[in-house]
Amino acid sequence: MHLINTTTLSLETFHDNEIPPYAILSHTWGEDHEELSYQDLAAGKITDPPNLGMTKLRGTCKQAQKDGIKYAWIDSCCINKEDGIELSIAINSMFRWYRRAVVCYVYLADVPATDKPRDKKGSAFQQSRWFERGWTLQELIAPRRVSFFHSEWGLLGTKTNLKNVLSSITGVPREFLLHKKDLYKGSVAQRMSWAAKRQTRLPEDLAYCLMGMFNVSMDMRYGEGGQKAFIRLQESIFERTGDESMLAWGLDARSTATAGGVLASMPSDFISSGHVVPGDRTTLMSPPPRIEEENLYIHAPLHILPTDEMYALLNCQPGRSTSGEHQQRTRRLLFSSLLRKSVANQVIGIPLAPVGSTTQPDVPVHSYVRKPGVPAKYFPRKVYDEASQLEPISIKVYSVWDSIAGVKPLPHYGNSPLLERGSAGATGNK
């Protein structure tokens, strides 16, 4: 790990077991020519008068010295991005590096010194670009101590005393912001929802910036595209957690999600999932879900409506939302529904359509695709309990990707969970 000596402004390198206490910077990047690079700092090319990168460097080091911290880390100039291995290690280590920092300084270049963060009208803090970027989500959540500074490096507040404002802006409940609740106890769907409105420069980074939020690692494949990277992320998460809430995306009837894959295409598909809580797998006798050869296998109750619409009922449910925007969204979704019951007595179902095969029509496998363009729904808990008492069915949901090879929807699938539903045998395809 390369760290900046806050007195000499030079880089020093430490092995993992030798890393001293350090402050860490969170910021939004300007244009490349405005930022200091690793090569600039290593060669001592520190510009004067200062550009944006120099303002960040000097401000970070000056504040760290005030706090009695000898070293600092800034992503723009402490990673040699010309070294692919070093870049991959840094990206996979980022969450851990922010978590182990003594303090995180958030520098908001677009917030003036006169701003009042709690002002409900016209607060530049609440409109800052920092809240829109993908990488800054983990930079807010991972460190215990976070201090916010305006464009002139004056203190605006801390994560602790701004917790209500921060929760309202980001959708992250206060207990997760302040480490009162283990981050990894939150459902996958809930954590994904925090990134639903965020963006990154490179499409793949929208997946890579979330690895630490789910305690997984991935190899970097820049150029593969954002959707492929995000699906690889979900596969890694599912393998680690088996949390069915990851399938609880597209809950809003106005959702634009249209993919035919069972996994979401991007974090924005989870925009209405901030209230989803995980179910209790300790009471289930069924095996956990798994992904093999790009197909998801899940043991779940099936519920078929009189209209022949079919839903797989997930082991997760809507819970109480503790952040402002998600609380309003939850109320709108739940109370506009015909199911006006306590959220504790509801479960989430995802829409499925069975598929048939032209090549192996007699293979007795229950195979489905998630119906594109159809939102997930809430169902009374008793529906889940009743469906769970039927003969268990292991569902093979075709292709985690959104293109299906060799399969076609059946024209009709009846009302019996064991009738007309079991004959598909083609393989999924990227």
Side-chain angles (χ1 to χ4, degrees):
M1 185 180 190
H2 306 302
L3 293 174
I4 303 165
N5 185 308
T6 58
T7 301
T8 65
L9 303 187
S10 61
L11 287 171
E12 298 182 24
T13 303
F14 299 89
H15 296 294
D16 198 59
N17 60 347
E18 302 173 339
I19 297 174
Y22 60 90
I24 200 165
L25 179 69
S26 176
H27 64 111
T28 56
W29 283 47
E31 298 298 325
D32 288 344
H33 69 273
E34 297 179 304
E35 300 290 347
L36 285 177
S37 68
Y38 171 86
Q39 284 71 27
D40 292 333
L41 207 54
K45 294 181 180 178
I46 300 176
T47 59
D48 200 12
N51 59 10
L52 179 60
M54 194 60 202
T55 298
K56 295 173 183 177
L57 173 66
R58 292 197 181 279
T60 299
C61 291
K62 182 178 180 180
Q63 186 61 44
Q65 287 182 319
K66 286 182 181 179
D67 293 339
I69 304 172
K70 185 177 179 180
Y71 293 97
W73 188 88
I74 301 174
D75 58 355
S76 55
C77 54
C78 290
I79 303 172
N80 182 5
K81 299 174 185 63
E82 295 180 359
D83 184 329
I85 295 177
E86 180 174 327
L87 177 61
S88 180
I89 291 173
I91 290 176
N92 277 281
S93 304
M94 201 78 69
F95 186 91
R96 179 166 53 90
W97 287 351
Y98 274 88
R99 174 151 283 187
R100 72 188 297 179
V102 175
V103 61
C104 176
Y105 303 140
V106 177
Y107 177 69
L108 304 176
D110 55 354
V111 177
T114 56
D115 194 68
K116 297 179 180 179
R118 295 181 182 83
D119 192 346
K120 294 182 179 180
K121 295 182 179 180
S123 168
F125 177 86
Q126 296 184 32
Q127 301 299 321
S128 175
R129 180 170 169 261
W130 187 83
F131 293 108
E132 300 172 358
R133 310 312 297 168
W135 290 103
T136 57
L137 176 61
Q138 67 176 2
E139 296 164 12
L140 170 67
I141 293 174
R144 286 191 174 274
R145 289 179 55 198
V146 180
S147 298
F148 293 87
F149 295 87
H150 56 61
S151 58
E152 298 178 23
W153 273 101
L155 183 66
L156 289 165
T158 67
K159 182 162 71 168
T160 300
N161 61 34
L162 292 174
K163 59 183 181 295
N164 292 335
V165 175
L166 293 170
S167 181
S168 178
I169 297 170
T170 64
V172 182
R174 295 184 296 272
E175 59 264 31
F176 291 113
L177 285 175
L178 302 182
H179 295 207
K180 301 293 186 183
K181 185 175 180 179
D182 184 353
L183 173 65
Y184 303 122
K185 297 294 185 183
S187 74
V188 170
Q190 182 181 39
R191 283 176 276 165
M192 284 290 187
S193 74
W194 304 338
K197 293 184 176 181
R198 293 177 179 259
Q199 300 176 346
T200 54
R201 280 189 179 184
L202 299 176
E204 296 86 357
D205 278 342
L206 200 50
Y208 302 158
C209 73
L210 297 176
M211 291 189 295
M213 296 286 295
F214 299 96
N215 198 22
V216 298
S217 296
M218 293 168 57
D219 59 308
M220 307 296 103
R221 300 179 190 173
Y222 286 105
E224 68 177 322
Q227 182 176 342
K228 284 189 175 181
F230 188 58
I231 287 178
R232 282 202 301 122
L233 172 69
Q234 292 173 89
E235 290 177 319
S236 298
I237 295 169
F238 218 58
E239 180 179 355
R240 185 177 185 87
T241 68
D243 184 355
E244 294 178 20
S245 78
M246 197 170 71
L247 307 179
W249 53 270
L251 277 165
D252 195 329
R254 300 168 300 170
S255 173
T256 58
T258 58
V262 68
L263 299 184
S265 299
M266 57 193 69
S268 59
D269 292 338
F270 289 92
I271 194 167
S272 300
S273 303
H275 58 290
V276 176
V277 298
D280 182 8
R281 283 210 64 87
T282 61
T283 61
L284 300 180
M285 301 298 292
S286 60
R290 71 187 192 279
I291 293 176
E292 291 182 4
E293 298 180 350
E294 300 167 14
N295 293 286
L296 169 70
Y297 295 82
I298 181 172
H299 194 93
L302 286 175
H303 180 56
I304 303 175
L305 300 178
T307 56
D308 276 355
E309 296 174 278
M310 179 184 296
Y311 288 83
L313 304 181
L314 304 177
N315 184 34
C316 60
Q317 61 195 48
R320 183 176 64 89
S321 177
T322 54
S323 62
E325 182 174 343
H326 286 284
Q327 206 168 48
Q328 294 174 10
R329 188 182 299 277
T330 301
R331 282 199 296 266
R332 183 170 64 250
L333 288 171
L334 293 180
F335 293 106
S336 65
S337 168
L338 295 176
L339 305 173
R340 301 176 183 273
K341 296 186 177 181
S342 168
V343 293
N345 293 319
Q346 292 184 322
V347 295
I348 296 169
I350 58 171
L352 299 179
V355 293
S357 171
T358 59
T359 58
Q360 294 175 289
D362 298 324
V363 177
V365 177
H366 302 290
S367 301
Y368 304 84
V369 291
R370 178 159 177 165
K371 294 185 72 173
V374 179
K377 283 187 176 183
Y378 299 99
F379 293 93
R381 182 77 195 189
K382 67 176 183 179
V383 171
Y384 181 94
D385 295 336
E386 291 170 356
S388 298
Q389 295 174 11
L390 299 174
E391 182 176 346
I393 295 177
S394 291
I395 307 169
K396 178 182 180 182
V397 183
Y398 261 90
S399 189
V400 299
W401 302 87
D402 65 349
S403 60
I404 315 298
V407 294
K408 61 181 181 180
L410 293 176
H412 179 74
Y413 43 88
N415 291 319
S416 168
L418 298 177
L419 182 64
E420 293 188 280
R421 195 168 42 271
S423 53
T427 57
N429 180 27
K430 286 186 181 180

